[in-house]
Amino acid sequence: MSTLVKSNNIPSLRSMMEDFWNNDNFFNHPFFNRELLPAVNIRDKKENYELEVAAPGFKKDDFNIGIENGLLTISAETSEEHNEEKENYTRKEFSSSSFTRSFNLPEDVDNDHIKANYKNGLLTIDIRKTTPAVAEKKKINID
């Protein structure tokens, strides 16, 4: 009796079939996962934080940026449709793209002074820092 063994170099027939029919792995393949997250750079500067989100192919109006309970959420969605009708054929194409990224904000963020700019596929978000409150000294009397 022979046994099919999964090799590190060449997958066995059994392992290929298991990979194919295992829905957890098959449908999580990047080919099926259309929500790709854009790359983000975060800089901690002296007076502000700066986020750069690489999101080419979007327009300024495609973005939605908000803050709730100390969480900065950036999302974008776009879709495009192209129809072409000729005498002997019709061509219809469409595409859509979306993403959502969320970031926990530190306590020294000034929520009222956040600016965003989108240019040449790069979304830049400038988040001003607040001056940390200095705890005042207080003497506690002992009763």
Side-chain angles (χ1 to χ4, degrees):
M1 180 172 180
S2 63
T3 306
L4 295 174
V5 178
K6 189 170 187 174
S7 167
N8 290 337
N9 298 328
I10 302 171
S12 69
L13 179 59
R14 171 178 267 160
S15 69
M16 288 189 295
M17 294 301 290
E18 286 173 355
D19 290 344
F20 180 79
W21 292 111
N22 182 353
N23 289 340
D24 292 338
N25 290 333
F26 183 71
F27 290 106
N28 286 330
H29 189 274
F31 177 78
F32 293 106
N33 185 2
R34 292 295 185 202
E35 185 176 319
L36 300 174
L37 296 178
V40 175
N41 292 324
I42 302 173
R43 289 187 184 86
D44 184 355
K45 296 182 173 183
K46 184 178 180 179
E47 296 181 6
N48 66 321
Y49 297 101
E50 183 180 88
L51 271 75
E52 292 178 331
V53 181
F58 291 94
K59 293 183 261 179
K60 181 175 91 169
D61 296 335
D62 295 335
F63 290 95
N64 186 15
I65 304 170
I67 297 176
E68 186 174 345
N69 298 326
L71 191 69
L72 173 72
T73 302
I74 305 164
S75 62
E77 184 174 354
T78 185
S79 62
E80 187 176 317
E81 187 173 325
H82 177 75
N83 293 323
E84 183 179 342
E85 295 188 24
K86 298 285 183 175
E87 184 177 317
N88 55 354
Y89 72 90
T90 299
R91 184 177 81 181
K92 293 184 179 184
E93 295 180 7
F94 63 92
S95 66
S96 65
S97 179
S98 67
F99 73 88
T100 300
R101 295 285 313 252
S102 296
F103 303 91
N104 287 314
L105 294 175
E107 292 180 10
D108 64 346
V109 165
D110 184 354
N111 289 344
D112 296 328
H113 291 92
I114 297 177
K115 297 178 183 176
N117 182 32
Y118 183 69
K119 185 176 182 181
N120 297 330
L122 187 65
L123 175 67
T124 305
I125 302 172
D126 183 64
I127 306 169
R128 188 183 301 174
K129 294 180 181 180
T130 60
T131 307
V134 178
E136 62 182 68
K137 290 184 178 183
K138 183 177 180 181
K139 185 175 179 178
I140 309 294
N141 292 325
I142 302 172
D143 293 329

